[in-house]
Amino acid sequence: MHQEILQYLETNKDRFLKELFELLRIPSVSADSRHQQDVLAAAEFLKKRLEDLGMDQVELLETDGFPVVFAEKITDPAAPTVMIYGHYDVQPPDPLDEWITDPFEPQVRDGKIYARGACDDKGQLYMHLKAVETLMQLNQLKCNVKFFIEGEEEVGSHSLEAALEKYAGKLQCDVMLISDTSMLANDTPSLCVSLRGLTYMEVEVTGPNRDLHSGVYGGAVDNPVNTLCEMIASLKDENGHITIKGFYDDVRDLSEEEREEYRRIPFSEANYHQHLDIKATRGEKGYSILERASARPTLDVNGIWGGYTGEGSKTVLPSRAHAKISMRLVPYQDHNTIARLFEEHFTRMAPPSVKVKVIAHHGGNPYLTDTGSPGYKAASQAMEQSFGKRPIATREGGSIPILATFERTIAAPIVLMGFGLDTDAIHSPNEHYGVFNYMKGIETIALYYNHYYNQMQEHNKVTANQA
Ligand code: BES
Ligand code: MN
Ligand code: MN
């Protein structure tokens, strides 16, 4: 089995890379309306490649935004069904001048594929198509497979909740398998057991009805940029705790066992500093770097603007100031509740000299995996088989906004088996993905189906005995 899979991968490696490159050449930037046609082209590309695999049915499911690429292969109606989720949209490539090579002309350097989306998520998603191809060609696919590939993940998956309800009938499955997270290192496999949620807000602070001469009015009329900065600064105290009333109400403390697991993760603070060219980190008091970056909620300004930012100088007391502020949430926090608490807090704290407007952009709830599920156990076994080491369970700090909704509407457990590395520069210039990770991912995913099939047999026996 394993040998045959490895043989097939070896024989087809060049083509597997070539096909991925074709997908990477399509600039499917969902945030930028000038790329609308390209985003659609990526969906069409995947539809064709899924048809080539010999899926029973492939279609684009219409949503209020970009379509979902859906495909299914029913091998045996009695067998368990694995649904693959991924996204074909990518982040904008900016800042363009920091890329060594064109973000949409993939290049392999030093064993790594450089391109926007190489890791997040085209490279990781495409592994799934090739793993299914491998099993189908070798006549070893025992499970049913569905693909559900969306095109709006990088902008908050706005249209997906409605789409999930509309297409729920088609989407029935026993497990949802996702490769859109990272592992610890190429020789330290890990499985992600929790992702953070997100609440994304925008604020506008308005002072006088127009920009003023800062000499004539400065000192007497409130400056909204100064005031916005003060307001933002007060959102955290000296210990790095967020001061929004009620913010931590639903946060659970890490257990001693969980903290012990964090301490077992191989991690070098010196490498971390070096990689980012920083001398020190700074964050919430009482927590380690890894805990801060994955198990604790955060509040960050993503962008701030107002007043004169052009060339040279202009003496002006601006009329308005703006900021985009996001909060990463941890299990049991709810993104709608947090959006409301933020709005109340921010409005309440504003001095009478300014007006405040708070807009909620998008949000998603945090996610926690059930590590006792057959789907999770199979992932652990597949990784152990391909890497020769048992994966470590880790929490990660990023978000896939639709996960919690998926679990609620489709009622299937979600398994996060990602093969990226934190150093792959996702969302940054020079994003890349290791050729090793791409091929290892395909191998591990191919092995997954067999382990999952066996786990489900076992699971069904146990539940039948209990009945
Ligand atoms: N794949 C990432 C999420 C991720 C990255 C999880 C690394 C774990 C490790 C995903 O594409 C992403 O970037 N999500 C956004 C969501 C947002 C745009 C709504 C995020 O986390 O910022
Ligand atoms: Mn992603
Ligand atoms: Mn992303």
Side-chain angles (χ1 to χ4, degrees), residues 35-49:
H35 283 295
Q36 210 166 339
Q37 287 312 315
D38 299 314
V39 183
L40 292 170
E44 287 293 345
F45 176 90
L46 287 167
K47 179 167 178 274
K48 286 204 197 74
R49 293 292 89 83

Side-chain angles (χ1 to χ4, degrees), residues 200-204 357-361:
Y200 202 110
M201 312 293 286
E202 183 166 332
V203 296
E204 184 186 278
K357 205 160 103 191
V358 180
I359 309 149
H361 274 288

Side-chain angles (χ1 to χ4, degrees), residues 190-206:
S190 60
L191 279 167
C192 176
V193 295
S194 179
L195 285 177
R196 289 193 285 199
L198 187 71
T199 296
Y200 202 110
M201 312 293 286
E202 183 166 332
V203 296
E204 184 186 278
V205 174
T206 308

Side-chain angles (χ1 to χ4, degrees), residues 292-366:
R292 285 173 184 163
S294 59
R296 297 294 298 168
T298 63
L299 182 147
D300 278 294
V301 176
N302 297 254
I304 182 164
W305 69 103
Y308 184 69
T309 55
E311 196 185 333
S313 63
K314 178 188 181 199
T315 50
V316 64
L317 193 161
S319 159
R320 252 191 273 277
H322 309 254
K324 293 189 193 273
I325 301 174
S326 69
M327 288 154 279
R328 296 280 170 176
L329 312 179
V330 296
Y332 310 106
Q333 284 183 297
D334 174 72
H335 75 95
N336 288 317
T337 308
I338 296 296
R340 184 173 50 75
L341 292 176
F342 178 91
E343 181 174 356
E344 284 168 11
H345 183 90
F346 210 78
T347 312
R348 209 184 315 117
M349 78 199 276
S353 47
V354 295
K355 295 187 206 86
V356 186
K357 205 160 103 191
V358 180
I359 309 149
H361 274 288
H362 55 71
N365 277 339

Side-chain angles (χ1 to χ4, degrees), residues 81-86 125 128 146-148 173-180 191 375-376 378-379 413-419 444-446 448-449 452:
T81 302
V82 178
M83 184 153 76
I84 306 304
Y85 163 87
L125 159 70
H128 285 274
K146 294 183 182 179
F147 282 89
F148 182 95
C173 60
D174 298 290
V175 68
M176 176 122 111
L177 181 63
I178 304 178
S179 298
D180 194 23
L191 279 167
Y376 182 85
I414 298 171
V415 175
L416 299 162
M417 188 167 72
F419 298 89
T444 310
I445 294 162
Y448 178 85
Y449 285 88
Y452 182 62

Side-chain angles (χ1 to χ4, degrees), residues 30 85 87 89 120 150-157 180 399-401:
S30 52
Y85 163 87
H87 58 95
D89 64 324
D120 184 13
E150 69 149 313
E152 296 186 323
E153 196 276 342
E154 297 292 10
V155 288
S157 304
D180 194 23
S399 310
I400 302 178

